[in-house]
Amino acid sequence: MGTVNVGVIGVGNCASSLVQGVEYYSNATGGPAGLTHAVCAGYAVSDVRFTSAFDVNVSKIGRDLSEAIWAEPNNALKFADVPHLGVPVREGILSDGVGHSAVDRIDAHGRATLDDVVEHLKRTDTHVVVNFLPVGSHRASELYAEAALRAGCAFVNCIPSVIARSADWSRKFANASLPLIGDDLKSQFGATLVHHALVDVLARNGVQLRNTYQIVSGGNMDFLNMQDPERVKSKKTTKVQGFGGAELPAESVHFGAEYVPFLKDRKIAFIRLEGEAFGGTPLELELRMCVEDSPQRRRQRTGCGSIHEVRDGSRDSRRRRSGFVVAYEGNTSAHERVRRAGRTERHDRRSRQSMSPSLLKRRPPNDSSFLPPEAAAGIGWRAVRRSALLNGAV
Ligand SMILES: NC(=O)c1ccc[n+]([C@@H]2O[C@H](COP(=O)([O-])OP(=O)(O)OC[C@H]3O[C@@H](n4cnc5c(N)ncnc54)[C@H](O)[C@@H]3O)[C@@H](O)[C@H]2O)c1
C-alpha cells in the first residue's frame, strides 16, 4: 500500500517517543503489546517513514533525527535503538515557540520562512505533518498548519492549541480535501483518562460530583513550559474538559502542574474527587499514579494513538477525502482489520486480545469520546481495567 511519510515539527520528548515507537513496533517479534492497533486502515507501523523534521534548538538543527531525539534538554526514556534515518533536522520558524520558562534552556535559531517549510515538505514528499511544539506555541503552530496546507499535507495537532477545533482551520483543510486531526495528546493510560473514567462511573451510579482536582508533577520540558501562566491556559482548558469539570463551577475544579527536575520524564499525578452519594452522604476518593510521560503520549484526544493518526491521516491525504478525520476505527471489527492486513496468527490473537472486538462493535462510529459507555458502567476498577485494555495496555 506504499508508505506513510511523516514530518515532525518539534523534536522534543514526544517526537522521541514516536520515532522510537515506530522503530520498536516495526521490528516487534513478541506481538503488539502496548499498542491498540497493530494495523490501521491497512497500514502497519513498519509502513511509517520519517521524511522531514523541524526544530529551533541549535543542539538539534542539522543532526539526523535519530540523533536529535537524544539531544538536551530531551529526557524521554530510551526503549528502542533508532538507526540512522537520513533525515536531517531543519531550522524551523521560531515565532512564539520558546517561552519565558524555557528560554534559558534553549539556544534558539528559527529563521526559516513559511515558503522554506512548504518547499521542504514538498521536496521530501511528506504526507502527514505532526505538530509537537511546546504548549502555548499557538502562532507557530498556525504557521506550520498553513505550511502543511500549502504543501498538501495532513496536519495532526498534538498540542493543546485550538486548531482542529477551530471552524476556520477545519474549513480550510476541508476545502483542500486534507485531514486535520487534534487537538492535544492524551496518554495511553494516564491521569486524565483515569480521572475521566472515575467521573463517569460516579455519575452513572448517581453520585453527584461536587469538587475535583488533578495535580501533576514532572521534570520534562512540558512541565517547565507549564510554569508559564499564559502558556498553561490552553492545557488547563483541555484538561478540565477531559475530566468532566466543564459541568462544575470553575471554583470546584482545579488542575495544577509542578516542575520537579529530578522526576525527569516521570509524571506523578494526584487525583481527588468529592461527591454526594445516597441520602446526601459524603464520598471521597483519592488516587496517586506514576507513569513514564512521553512514551504514553501517543494518543490523541479524539481516541486513537498518534502512530495511528499518522497512518489514517496519510490514507485520507492520498485519497483526498475531505473533512475532519476522527482517527477511530469504531465501525470496523478487529477481525476485519486483521484479515485485511493479513497478519500472522500470533498477531491476530494479540490484536483481538487488546482490541476486544465485542466492545469495538458496540462503539458508535465516529464517537469522539475515548471511553465507550459500557466501559464506565460497572464499578470503578472494572471501568479502569477495561479502559486499560482498550488503550492497548496489557
Ligand atoms: N510530554 C508529554 O508527555 C506531553 C503530554 C501531553 C501533551 N504534550 C504536548 O505535546 C507537545 C510536545 O511535548 P514535548 O514533551 O515533546 O515538548 P518538548 O518541549 O520536549 O519538545 C518541543 C520541541 O519543539 C521545539 N521547538 C520549539 N519551538 C519551535 C519552533 N518554533 N519550530 C520548531 N520546533 C520548535 C523545541 O526545541 C523542542 O525540541 C507540547 O505542546 C505538550 O503540551 C506533551
Side-chain angles (χ1 to χ4, degrees):
M1 292 183 64
T3 57
V4 180
N5 297 349
V6 177
V8 176
I9 309 296
V11 186
N13 272 357
C14 289
S16 167
S17 300
L18 178 66
V19 171
Q20 291 186 66
V22 168
E23 186 60 30
Y24 181 88
Y25 285 107
S26 295
N27 302 312
T29 49
L35 194 63
T36 26
H37 307 284
V39 175
C40 192
Y43 289 95
V45 180
S46 53
D47 295 324
V48 174
R49 300 263 182 283
F50 292 97
T51 49
S52 53
F54 292 89
D55 207 289
V56 292
N57 191 339
V58 289
S59 73
K60 297 170 184 174
I61 296 168
R63 294 175 82 171
D64 188 66
L65 181 58
S66 60
E67 294 165 14
I69 57 176
W70 309 121
E72 290 274 335
N74 288 12
N75 57 8
L77 187 78
K78 180 172 180 177
F79 58 91
D81 284 317
V82 181
H84 186 84
L85 295 169
V87 180
V89 175
R90 300 275 294 199
E91 181 172 338
I93 313 169
L94 182 59
S95 186
D96 59 354
V98 178
H100 300 305
S101 318
V103 78
D104 294 339
R105 301 284 304 276
I106 292 180
D107 184 2
H109 284 211
R111 294 160 301 191
T113 64
L114 189 61
D115 288 342
D116 294 337
V117 178
V118 174
E119 192 272 329
H120 189 67
L121 292 174
K122 283 184 178 166
R123 193 161 46 75
T124 52
D125 191 25
T126 298
H127 303 149
V128 184
V129 173
V130 182
N131 181 30
F132 283 130
L133 289 184
V135 64
S137 316
H138 186 66
R139 284 201 308 279
S141 297
E142 290 200 313
L143 287 168
Y144 287 110
E146 181 64 35
L149 194 63
R150 291 196 201 168
C153 301
F155 192 74
V156 180
N157 182 35
C158 298
I159 90 160
S161 283
V162 178
I163 293 191
R165 286 169 292 160
S166 127
D168 196 31
W169 280 108
S170 293
R171 187 180 38 75
K172 285 186 194 171
F173 275 81
N175 288 346
S177 300
L178 289 169
L180 171 64
I181 299 172
D183 302 308
D184 204 5
L185 289 171
K186 188 189 296 294
S187 294
Q188 176 180 32
F189 198 77
T192 302
L193 184 141
V194 171
H195 203 148
H196 195 144
L198 292 173
V199 167
D200 225 19
V201 80
L202 289 186
R204 283 170 192 283
N205 287 281
V207 178
Q208 180 76 53
L209 185 65
R210 293 292 182 213
N211 302 296
T212 187
Y213 68 60
Q214 187 187 118
I215 297 173
V216 290
S217 55
N220 59 31
M221 288 302 284
D222 196 31
F223 276 88
L224 185 59
N225 279 310
M226 282 193 276
Q227 303 315 299
D228 186 336
E230 272 310 304
R231 290 196 160 241
V232 81
K233 271 185 191 162
S234 55
K235 191 74 174 180
K236 281 192 171 174
T237 308
T238 56
K239 277 277 185 189
V240 169
Q241 281 166 354
F243 51 75
E247 288 140 38
L248 288 174
E251 63 273 18
S252 297
V253 184
H254 179 74
F255 167 74
E258 196 67 34
Y259 176 60
V260 183
F262 71 77
L263 287 178
K264 299 196 171 146
D265 202 28
R266 255 178 313 154
K267 178 166 109 178
I268 296 178
F270 290 93
I271 297 171
R272 178 177 170 84
L273 301 109
E274 297 175 1
E276 199 176 313
F278 189 74
T281 51
L283 181 144
E284 295 181 11
L285 191 133
E286 283 189 339
L287 184 139
R288 173 194 181 274
M289 63 189 292
C290 179
V291 291
E292 205 57 48
D293 200 17
S294 308
Q296 287 252 341
R297 303 292 180 167
R298 48 168 202 84
R299 295 182 63 80
Q300 277 267 326
R301 292 191 175 268
T302 42
C304 199
S306 52
I307 287 182
H308 304 124
E309 261 95 25
V310 158
R311 290 180 285 169
D312 256 20
S314 168
R315 175 199 58 180
D316 285 276
S317 174
R318 292 225 191 103
R319 290 189 192 158
R320 293 279 179 206
R321 281 209 200 141
S322 75
F324 184 98
V325 173
V326 177
Y328 193 89
E329 293 202 315
N331 51 357
T332 313
S333 78
H335 296 286
E336 173 61 11
R337 267 173 279 143
V338 170
R339 190 190 61 71
R340 272 195 314 207
R343 305 299 288 178
T344 65
E345 180 52 35
R346 189 167 41 135
H347 276 229
D348 282 8
R349 190 162 34 82
R350 295 302 292 265
S351 301
R352 278 189 220 120
Q353 253 174 16
S354 63
M355 288 189 281
S356 178
S358 57
L359 283 178
L360 285 170
K361 265 189 213 149
R362 277 181 274 146
R363 278 188 215 174
N366 293 342
D367 181 357
S368 64
S369 69
F370 59 86
L371 190 65
E374 56 272 38
I379 50 176
W381 66 266
R382 217 168 67 202
V384 171
R385 184 178 168 276
R386 279 201 190 176
S387 120
L389 284 175
L390 283 167
N391 288 290
V394 175

